[in-house]
């Protein structure tokens, strides 16, 4: 059965109706899931297996039957471990139906159907009793409900309900305990993801400074955690202000509360500085003695950095304090961890709370609009002074005293740059109420509310009256649009340029004047794991899961490239970068497709995991900005990626495991096509062996 789904096209700006399979959303969920990464997480798997064996043994030693409740079973892996360890029966709960169906097949394939029952419900809907899903309560609770923040997937409410209704009092639990750790740091780089810095520009009238509004400076920021691969942040980018502090622990073998709470730790700063950011991670102990431990600590806090397990399903957390605060070495402070049922946040207190006194603080909520409009990479991009200087350099070559400038980007400050560089009249189009409100605040803070005209409407709907009957001599874009996910979605600028052509005067300048799509073939150090088949996992056959992911990846959107911030995922280039397509913004969007096909030779030995694609914007003939590689790869293939942008990764099929032997010389053939009617870019990359000469 087919269904029609509406989709806002990020490139053309139009709303389209597409025919999809009725299970379309399920397939996308599976294709983009972290199941493969979790199954490749050998450290996690081994520690769970050890913990389950120990828990079953403790129950058996008491002369009891081992009845296991596995909440969030996924593939059924932990349930199969439990039965193999000697459990008498296991109830495996999985709310996501396609995954529950897969678990049933995997359990049957491995010969455990008589001892594992898969229940397709949310755990809070499971019933116990003669007519219930389970005849009696379990005495071993096994779960893997954790995300990077530990509690962000609803672990606390699930545990709370399970202890009240589904398991015996003082049951065995795997994991037994979790502890959250925190470390206070000063980091201009990370702080630039949360606050707007003053922006400096040199003009004919001297230096001008764009200052942030007061309410943006005072805003506590976005409430959500910033989860990143913290190991890829250079130690030179932050100054450690505190030791690693164990903030709080949760004992999963006893009644768990999902109520809001706070936990304080007194410490003395290691050095003086400005407290801005809290880095956080957790570990889980699989047994009561704490001998079987799995940690997400970054390398500098890890007990054995050489044996660290790479993983993407659990990363590390960056939290921003509501305001930066000065700290003095040796002068005691209190770091306070707050949490509700799903989120954690931090504050800094000058004095220690009295025992049993609660520190009341509401979860941070943005009240300045900026954190609703700009995500963390966008803050970093706007705060990048080098990037701003490039725009100033390009603008200075095309501006004239009588220029009429129209800016088309979401929440962009290019209109302010244009004004300070002497443009006679500046218009900026903001299609959302949030960006309109934010820019008004910024203009007011810089006394520009009467100097720059904000038009709140979609740019395609502009009228001559909106522009005060003036013809535009400079159409300006970064381009940046909040609806863009993949690099080429910002080609929306080209469609806008076409739509407003009637408002452009003779000889009008469009900046950027052109763009180009580039690609390079890479070998990932670790990211390949999220797409590599697992086959057997700790002795259990999970080929059914591999096949399920492969079928999901056969769907249209899942075959496309997917966005990843590659500064977090080291890779080596195996080929030279190649320009694939060119887009001339000085011309209208063409009626016919743009096509390119060719081959890319692999110049370095390695395993070809993916093609990486990005856009480069040619502001002027002399000035280009890249959203991908910032410089050519080094002799070993090392890549330096733009840290403010996500690049597009097109994984080859199959994704090669680094343990596989290297093949002979290869080339990558490609066919890439831009479809003007839909704004889509379709692509196919194929690895082929190079014939012997």
């Amino acid at each position: 059965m087919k269904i029609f789904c509406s989709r806002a096209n990020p490139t053309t700006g139009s709303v389209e109706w597409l025919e999809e399979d009725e299970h379309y959303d399920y397939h996308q969920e599976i294709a983009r899931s972290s199941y493969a990464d979790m199954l490749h997480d050998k450290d996690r798997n081994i520690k769970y297996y050890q913990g389950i064996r120990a828990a079953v043994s403790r129950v058996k030693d008491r002369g009891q039957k081992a009845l296991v409740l596995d909440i969030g079973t996924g593939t059924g892996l932990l349930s199969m471990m439990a039965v193999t360890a000697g459990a008498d029966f296991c109830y495996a709960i999985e709310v996501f139906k396609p995954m529950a169906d897969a678990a049933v097949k995997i359990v049957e394939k491995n010969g455990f159907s008589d001892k594992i029952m898969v229940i397709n419900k949310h755990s809070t809907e499971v019933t116990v009793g003669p007519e219930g899903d389970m005849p009696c309560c379990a005495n071993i609770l096994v779960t893997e409900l954790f995300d990077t923040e530990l509690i962000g997937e609803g672990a606390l409410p699930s545990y709370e309900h399970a202890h009240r209704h589904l398991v015996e009092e003082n049951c065995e639990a795997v994991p037994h305990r979790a502890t959250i750790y925190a470390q206070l740091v000063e980091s201009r780089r990370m702080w630039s993801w949360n606050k707007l810095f003053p922006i400096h520009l040199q003009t004919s009238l001297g230096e001008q400074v764009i200052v942030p509004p007061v309410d943006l400076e005072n805003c506590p920021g976005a409430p959500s955690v910033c989860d990143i691969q913290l190991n890829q942040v250079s130690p030179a980018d932050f100054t450690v202000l505190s030791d690693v502090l164990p903030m709080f622990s949760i004992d999963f073998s006893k009644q768990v509360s999902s109520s809001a709470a706070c936990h304080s730790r007194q410490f003395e700063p290691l050095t003086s500085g400005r407290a801005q950011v809290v880095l956080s991670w957790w570990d889980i102990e699989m047994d009561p003695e704490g001998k079987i431990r799995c940690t997400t600590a970054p390398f500098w806090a890890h007990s054995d950095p050489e044996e660290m397990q790479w993983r993407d399903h659990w990363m590390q957390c960056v939290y921003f304090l509501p305001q930066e605060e000065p700290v003095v070495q040796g002068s005691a402070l209190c770091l306070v961890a707050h949490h509700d049922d799903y989120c954690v946040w931090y504050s800094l207190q000058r004095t220690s709370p009295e025992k049993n006194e609660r520190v009341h603080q509401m979860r941070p909520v943005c009240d300045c609009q900026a954190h609703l409009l700009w995500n963390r990479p966008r803050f970093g991009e706007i705060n990048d002074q080098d990037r701003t200087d490039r725009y100033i350099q390009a603008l200075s070559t095309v501006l004239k005293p009588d220029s009429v400038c129209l800016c088309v980007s979401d929440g962009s400050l290019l209109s302010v740059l244009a004004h300070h560089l002497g443009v006679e009249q500046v218009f900026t189009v903001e299609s959302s109420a949030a960006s309109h409100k934010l820019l008004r605040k910024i203009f007011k803070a810089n006394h520009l509310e009467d100097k720059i005209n904000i038009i709140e409407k979609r740019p395609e709907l502009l009228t001559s009256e909106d522009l005060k009957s003036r013809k535009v001599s400079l159409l300006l874009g970064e381009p940046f649009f909040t609806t863009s996910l993949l690099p080429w979605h910002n080609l929306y600028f080209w469609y806008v340029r076409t739509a407003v052509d009637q408002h452009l005067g003779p000889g009008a300048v469009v900046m950027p004047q052109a763009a180009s799509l580039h690609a390079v073939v890479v070998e990932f150090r670790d990211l390949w794991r999220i797409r590599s088949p697992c086959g057997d996992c700790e002795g259990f056959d999970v080929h059914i899961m591999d096949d399920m992911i492969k079928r999901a990846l056969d769907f249209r959107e899942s075959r496309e490239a997917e966005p990843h911030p590659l500064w977090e995922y080291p890779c080596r280039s195996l080929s030279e970068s190649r320009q694939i397509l060119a887009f001339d913004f000085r011309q209208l969007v063409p009626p016919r497709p743009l096509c390119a096909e060719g081959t890319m030779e692999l110049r370095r030995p390695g395993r070809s995991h993916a093609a990486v694609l990005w856009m480069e914007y040619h502001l002027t003939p002399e000035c280009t900005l890249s959203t991908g590689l910032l410089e050519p790869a080094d002799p070993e293939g090392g890549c330096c990626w733009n840290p403010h942008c996500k690049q597009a990764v097109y994984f080859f099929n199959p994704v090669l495991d680094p343990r596989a032997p290297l093949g002979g010389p290869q080339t990558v053939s490609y066919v890439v096509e831009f479809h003007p009617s839909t704004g889509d870019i379709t692509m196919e990359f194929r690895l082929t062996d190079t014939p012997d000469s």
Side-chain angles (χ1 to χ4, degrees):
M1 177 178 159
K2 298 288 186 179
I3 59 173
F4 282 97
C5 299
S6 65
R7 184 184 75 164
N9 188 307
T11 308
T12 64
S14 62
V15 176
E16 303 168 344
W17 287 90
L18 303 174
E19 187 181 60
E20 302 288 3
D21 183 272
E22 63 178 322
H23 300 304
Y24 168 74
D25 286 340
Y26 285 164
H27 288 292
Q28 299 314 304
E29 177 73 18
I30 295 163
R32 303 294 189 219
S33 72
S34 297
Y35 285 118
D37 178 32
M38 288 188 284
L39 293 174
H40 279 295
D41 188 344
K42 194 164 186 65
D43 177 66
R44 161 193 175 272
N45 299 338
I46 289 174
K47 301 293 176 53
Y48 261 100
Y49 211 167
Q50 291 172 344
I52 289 169
R53 285 196 190 102
V56 171
S57 293
R58 288 193 297 273
V59 170
K60 293 286 189 177
D61 289 346
R62 294 196 292 264
Q64 300 174 347
K65 283 189 173 183
L67 302 177
V68 176
L69 173 65
D70 175 9
I71 299 179
T73 195
T75 60
L77 176 65
L78 302 185
S79 291
M80 293 189 293
M81 288 179 177
V83 171
T84 304
D88 294 279
F89 203 84
C90 186
Y91 300 93
I93 314 300
E94 177 55 54
V95 67
F96 185 41
K97 189 176 189 307
M99 197 67 252
D101 293 341
V104 170
K105 295 175 183 177
I106 292 171
V107 166
E108 181 180 6
K109 175 79 172 178
N110 285 273
F112 296 118
S113 295
D114 60 333
K115 288 197 172 184
I116 297 175
M117 176 187 290
V118 178
I119 302 172
N120 179 209
K121 286 186 176 182
H122 194 282
S123 65
T124 56
E125 298 172 341
V126 172
T127 56
V128 176
E131 303 299 323
D133 301 300
M134 300 166 52
C136 61
C137 287
N139 54 14
I140 301 176
L141 175 59
V142 176
T143 63
E144 208 279 60
L145 301 172
F146 313 118
D147 65 351
T148 293
E149 200 173 17
L150 185 72
I151 66 172
E153 291 186 359
L156 295 182
S158 296
Y159 271 112
E160 185 174 44
H161 176 271
H163 275 288
R164 286 179 177 170
H165 302 286
L166 306 179
V167 296
E168 294 178 359
E169 186 177 0
N170 295 321
C171 68
E172 299 291 341
V174 182
H176 180 84
R177 182 187 300 106
T179 302
I180 288 183
Y181 299 88
Q183 191 166 34
L184 188 67
V185 304
E186 175 181 351
S187 173
R188 179 176 175 83
R189 179 186 178 188
M190 287 185 270
W191 195 238
S192 76
W193 303 341
N194 184 56
K195 297 289 184 180
L196 179 62
F197 295 169
I199 299 171
H200 300 263
L201 60 156
Q202 294 293 332
T203 72
S204 58
L205 300 177
E207 184 181 66
Q208 301 289 329
V209 181
I210 304 171
V211 299
V214 172
D215 67 342
L216 200 158
E217 288 188 301
N218 295 335
C219 180
S224 58
V225 65
C226 178
D227 53 340
I228 64 171
Q229 294 283 356
L230 196 53
N231 289 315
Q232 299 309 314
V233 177
S234 168
D237 282 333
F238 60 93
T239 300
V240 171
L241 300 179
S242 79
D243 290 321
V244 175
L245 305 172
M247 296 306 300
F248 63 94
S249 296
I250 304 169
D251 186 337
F252 296 127
S253 69
K254 299 177 180 177
Q255 181 62 56
V256 172
S257 172
S258 63
S259 300
C262 64
H263 311 267
S264 65
R265 289 291 178 268
Q266 190 173 51
F267 70 99
E268 292 187 359
L270 301 175
T271 187
S272 299
R274 302 195 67 80
Q276 298 169 325
V277 172
V278 176
L279 310 180
S280 183
W281 55 90
W282 49 262
D283 63 31
I284 46 179
E285 296 169 357
M286 300 298 183
D287 60 323
E289 297 78 23
K291 295 178 180 178
I292 309 169
R293 182 170 167 267
C294 183
T295 182
T296 63
F299 68 86
W300 66 86
H302 201 284
S303 58
D304 190 358
E306 297 300 318
E307 296 298 322
M308 284 185 62
Q309 170 73 53
W310 182 89
R311 48 175 66 101
D312 204 45
H313 60 105
W314 295 333
M315 293 186 278
Q316 292 81 37
C317 302
V318 173
Y319 297 95
F320 304 100
L321 292 177
Q323 298 298 323
E324 64 177 5
E325 299 186 37
V327 298
V328 178
Q329 182 178 9
S331 181
L333 293 167
C334 269
L335 184 64
V336 184
H338 310 256
H339 74 81
D340 54 21
D341 50 350
Y342 281 88
C343 296
V344 178
W345 64 96
Y346 287 86
S347 66
L348 202 59
Q349 306 287 332
R350 292 291 166 182
T351 57
S352 177
E354 294 295 328
K355 189 175 182 181
N356 299 325
E357 178 187 344
R358 295 194 58 183
V359 178
H360 295 283
Q361 185 189 19
M362 298 295 292
R363 179 182 171 195
V365 176
C366 171
D367 54 17
C368 75
Q369 303 294 317
H371 301 90
L372 304 178
L373 183 67
W374 298 334
N375 60 20
R376 274 73 181 239
R378 179 61 173 164
F379 265 99
E381 189 171 52
I382 292 173
N383 284 323
D384 187 336
Q385 186 67 48
D386 291 339
R387 179 178 179 276
T388 298
D389 291 342
R390 300 285 290 281
Y391 277 102
I392 293 170
Q393 174 190 348
L395 276 168
S396 298
T397 65
V398 298
L399 290 179
K400 299 177 181 178
D402 61 348
S403 292
V404 176
C405 177
L406 174 62
C407 296
V408 183
S409 278
D410 288 345
S412 173
L413 300 183
L414 290 188
S415 59
V416 182
L417 301 186
H419 168 78
H420 282 310
L421 291 172
V423 172
E424 176 190 340
Q425 193 158 16
V426 182
F427 298 91
T428 185
V429 179
E430 297 296 338
S431 56
S432 78
S435 59
H436 183 269
K437 185 176 180 180
L438 173 61
L439 283 193
R440 282 212 174 276
K441 291 180 181 180
I442 294 173
F443 294 167
K444 185 175 181 180
N446 290 276
H447 311 291
L448 298 174
E449 60 265 47
D450 299 325
K451 308 290 179 59
I452 301 176
N453 301 277
I454 308 182
I455 304 167
E456 186 183 348
K457 60 169 56 175
R458 291 187 62 83
E460 301 95 323
L461 303 178
L462 277 177
T463 65
S464 179
E465 290 74 21
D466 294 323
L467 300 172
K468 301 182 179 179
S469 301
R470 302 292 301 273
K471 287 292 185 179
V472 173
S473 55
L474 173 61
L475 179 64
L476 180 62
E478 296 192 33
F480 172 83
F481 301 97
T482 56
T483 53
S484 299
L485 296 176
L486 292 165
W488 46 87
H489 288 166
N490 283 321
L491 285 174
Y492 175 53
F493 176 76
W494 202 6
Y495 288 83
V496 170
R497 177 261 180 273
T498 300
V500 303
D501 186 63
Q502 60 183 310
H503 301 300
L504 304 185
V509 174
V510 178
M511 194 181 100
Q513 66 176 26
S516 50
L517 178 67
H518 295 251
V520 67
V521 178
V522 303
E523 175 186 42
F524 284 111
R525 190 174 73 192
D526 296 298
L527 190 63
W528 61 270
R529 300 171 193 272
I530 71 172
R531 288 290 170 268
S532 180
C534 298
D536 290 330
C537 183
E538 302 308 316
F540 301 100
D541 185 344
V542 294
H543 283 87
I544 290 170
M545 186 67 213
D546 293 335
D547 295 340
M548 186 179 179
I549 292 175
K550 184 179 184 301
R551 287 194 301 274
L553 290 170
D554 285 339
F555 273 64
R556 174 181 52 78
E557 284 197 4
S558 302
R559 289 198 306 270
E560 297 176 354
E562 54 192 64
H564 290 280
L566 292 191
W567 73 267
E568 295 185 52
Y569 303 103
C571 61
R572 294 173 55 244
S573 70
L574 302 183
S575 71
E576 301 301 320
S577 63
R578 168 74 61 88
Q579 178 176 312
I580 304 293
L581 288 174
F583 313 93
D584 188 351
F585 296 155
R586 295 167 298 184
Q587 307 298 321
L588 304 183
V589 174
R592 294 182 178 83
L594 301 177
C595 304
E597 58 181 290
T599 59
M600 302 170 69
E601 293 185 8
L602 304 189
R603 300 185 177 275
R604 298 180 183 89
R607 293 172 178 82
S608 305
H609 290 143
V612 177
L613 300 100
W614 68 93
M615 297 289 290
E616 294 189 358
Y617 294 101
H618 311 289
L619 305 183
T620 66
E622 296 77 29
C623 186
T624 294
L625 286 176
S626 173
T627 67
L629 283 179
L630 297 181
E631 55 192 44
D634 64 30
E636 285 72 43
C639 300
C640 178
W641 299 100
N642 187 320
H644 310 310
C645 304
K646 290 184 177 181
Q647 292 74 39
V649 178
Y650 182 102
F651 286 102
F652 299 141
N653 188 20
V655 175
L656 298 177
D657 186 322
R659 294 166 295 188
L662 282 172
Q666 291 183 316
T667 61
V668 173
S669 60
Y670 62 85
V671 178
V672 180
E673 189 167 4
F674 169 68
H675 304 272
S677 60
T678 63
D680 290 335
I681 290 183
T682 57
M683 63 190 68
E684 183 174 11
F685 289 83
R686 287 184 179 274
L687 277 168
T688 56
D689 292 330
T690 303
D692 293 334
S693 56

